């Protein structure tokens, strides 16, 4: 009888602590910088209606880093901008595509040019063209912010501009995260680079037309603009309910509005 009294007495304590755990939940989202800012805005909106949920959008470690951290249990969700490679398939992670973003060519905001051609892109990244005057701009050197081989944005360029695959190495200074690369263009004059439109729009940089075509969602949908990256989330096994509810939100109509407002296209 004494044991039964003890068990019943403990029930409110167990229930209250379980409720407290559910009402104050924190989880992390790590991976590519291509969707870091977009996920940050989605998380901020979600937390306005879920104040007891804390979503930590970590700084970029790339798609590969995000996949590894999810596989090891360091992060509940991973941000990716590509499909799994053969080695990563062994982790048996789940994948949810949630948006598409144009890869845009960007420059410092003060430059006077507004469009760039395929031939000019190759000429700049090869180091052949090193002055903006040759492109109709000011008489000033071109500083290049480059990305490492395997970066998702660079991969999109290589797949769509075959001549870039013959360049080794690409000209310019290497940056290893999307955010740092775009910030470098924002801070330094006469600089050229490329990045997902959803990231570029959050910084004071100039977004160029490519072969005369604007990298708008409308031109992506119509197929006129060819440089596009896929943005997704990955996770391991069955998600805890608060994390699953955030994933469900990401593909909801209200989230799709936020995605569209930031220059990306919601995945259907």
């Amino acid at each position: 009888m004494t044991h039964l009294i003890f068990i019943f007495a403990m029930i409110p304590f167990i229930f209250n602590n379980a409720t407290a755990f559910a009402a104050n939940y924190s989880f992390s989202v790590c991976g590519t910088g291509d969707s870091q800012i977009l996920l940050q805005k989605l998380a901020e909106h979600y937390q306005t209606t879920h104040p007891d949920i804390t979503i930590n959008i970590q700084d970029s470690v790339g798609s590969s880093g995000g996949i590894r951290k999810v596989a090891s249990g360091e992060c509940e969700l991973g941000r990716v901008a590509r499909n799994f490679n053969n080695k990563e398939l062994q982790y048996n992670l789940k994948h949810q595509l949630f948006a598409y973003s144009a890869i845009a060519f960007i420059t410092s905001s003060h430059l006077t040019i507004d469009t760039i051609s395929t031939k000019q892109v190759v000429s700049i990244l090869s180091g052949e063209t090193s002055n903006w005057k040759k492109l109709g701009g000011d008489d000033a050197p071109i500083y290049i912010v480059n990305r490492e081989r395997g970066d998702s944005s660079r991969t999109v360029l290589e797949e769509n501009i075959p001549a870039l695959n013959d360049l080794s190495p690409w000209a310019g200074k290497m940056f290893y995260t999307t955010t740092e690369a775009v910030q470098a263009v924002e801070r330094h004059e006469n600089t050229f680079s490329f990045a997902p439109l959803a990231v570029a729009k959050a910084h004071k940089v100039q977004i160029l037309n490519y072969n005369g075509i604007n990298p708008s969602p409308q031109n992506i949908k119509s197929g006129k603009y060819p440089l596009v990256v896929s943005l997704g989330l990955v996770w391991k096994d069955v998600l805890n309910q608060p994390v699953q509810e955030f994933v469900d939100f990401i593909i909801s109509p209200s989230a799709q509005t936020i995605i569209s407002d930031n220059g990306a296209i919601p995945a259907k």
Side-chain angles (χ1 to χ4, degrees):
M1 186 67 178
T2 303
H3 288 84
L4 288 175
I5 292 172
F6 175 78
I7 291 170
F8 283 119
M10 288 296 294
I11 288 175
F13 175 81
I14 295 169
F15 176 79
N16 289 335
N17 278 273
T19 303
F21 173 78
N24 295 278
Y25 192 86
S26 175
F27 64 91
S28 297
V29 187
C30 56
T32 179
D34 290 7
S35 59
Q36 180 178 340
I37 292 176
L38 183 57
L39 262 298
Q40 184 66 57
K41 292 183 177 182
L42 288 164
E44 288 171 356
H45 178 85
Y46 186 77
Q47 289 171 132
T48 61
T49 56
H50 298 76
D52 296 325
I53 302 297
T54 300
I55 305 172
N56 302 309
I57 306 297
Q58 297 186 1
D59 288 340
S60 174
V61 291
S63 294
S64 298
I67 290 170
R68 287 195 299 269
K69 283 196 168 189
V70 169
S72 67
E74 293 180 63
C75 287
E76 287 85 346
L77 293 175
R79 308 186 304 266
V80 296
R82 60 171 176 77
N83 293 324
F84 298 120
N85 60 37
N86 289 335
K87 182 179 179 180
E88 292 163 347
L89 288 173
Q90 67 180 325
Y91 298 135
N92 294 316
L93 302 183
K94 309 293 191 304
H95 178 269
Q96 173 68 60
L97 182 68
F98 72 91
Y100 301 95
S101 178
I103 299 301
F105 294 105
I106 59 175
T107 68
S108 308
S109 59
H110 76 287
L111 290 171
T112 56
I113 68 168
D114 61 5
T115 190
I116 196 165
S117 69
T118 299
K119 184 178 180 180
Q120 290 170 334
V121 169
V122 175
S123 183
I124 291 172
L125 293 176
S126 69
E128 178 183 349
T129 297
S130 58
N131 194 295
W132 287 110
K133 188 175 182 180
K134 192 172 181 180
L135 303 181
D138 298 333
D139 185 4
I142 298 175
Y143 299 110
I144 302 168
V145 169
N146 201 353
R147 298 303 311 278
E148 76 281 9
R149 185 176 294 278
D151 165 71
S152 53
S153 296
R154 175 169 170 162
T155 298
V156 169
L157 298 192
E158 291 171 335
E159 290 173 347
N160 286 274
I161 308 176
L164 292 178
N165 293 289
D166 297 328
L167 305 183
S168 183
W170 288 14
K173 183 176 180 179
M174 195 76 71
F175 283 76
Y176 291 92
T177 74
T178 302
T179 302
E180 289 175 341
V182 178
Q183 286 175 342
V185 177
E186 181 179 39
R187 293 170 181 168
H188 302 287
E189 294 186 351
N190 306 316
T191 309
F192 170 85
S193 192
F194 50 88
L197 183 63
V199 180
K201 284 175 68 70
H203 294 81
K204 292 180 180 179
V205 298
Q206 182 170 216
I207 297 166
L208 303 181
N209 293 335
Y210 173 56
N211 292 329
I213 301 171
N214 186 272
S216 66
Q218 293 77 11
N219 286 333
I220 294 175
K221 290 178 182 178
S222 68
K224 291 181 181 179
Y225 194 87
L227 310 176
V228 183
V229 67
S230 301
L231 305 176
L233 292 171
V234 299
W235 62 90
K236 186 177 182 180
D237 303 324
V238 178
L239 292 172
N240 290 331
Q241 183 177 342
V243 187
Q244 182 62 60
E245 288 176 352
F246 177 66
V247 172
D248 294 340
F249 161 75
I250 292 295
I251 57 175
S252 70
S254 58
Q256 290 177 357
T257 299
I258 297 170
I259 291 169
S260 298
D261 288 346
N262 285 276
I265 300 174
K268 300 297 183 182

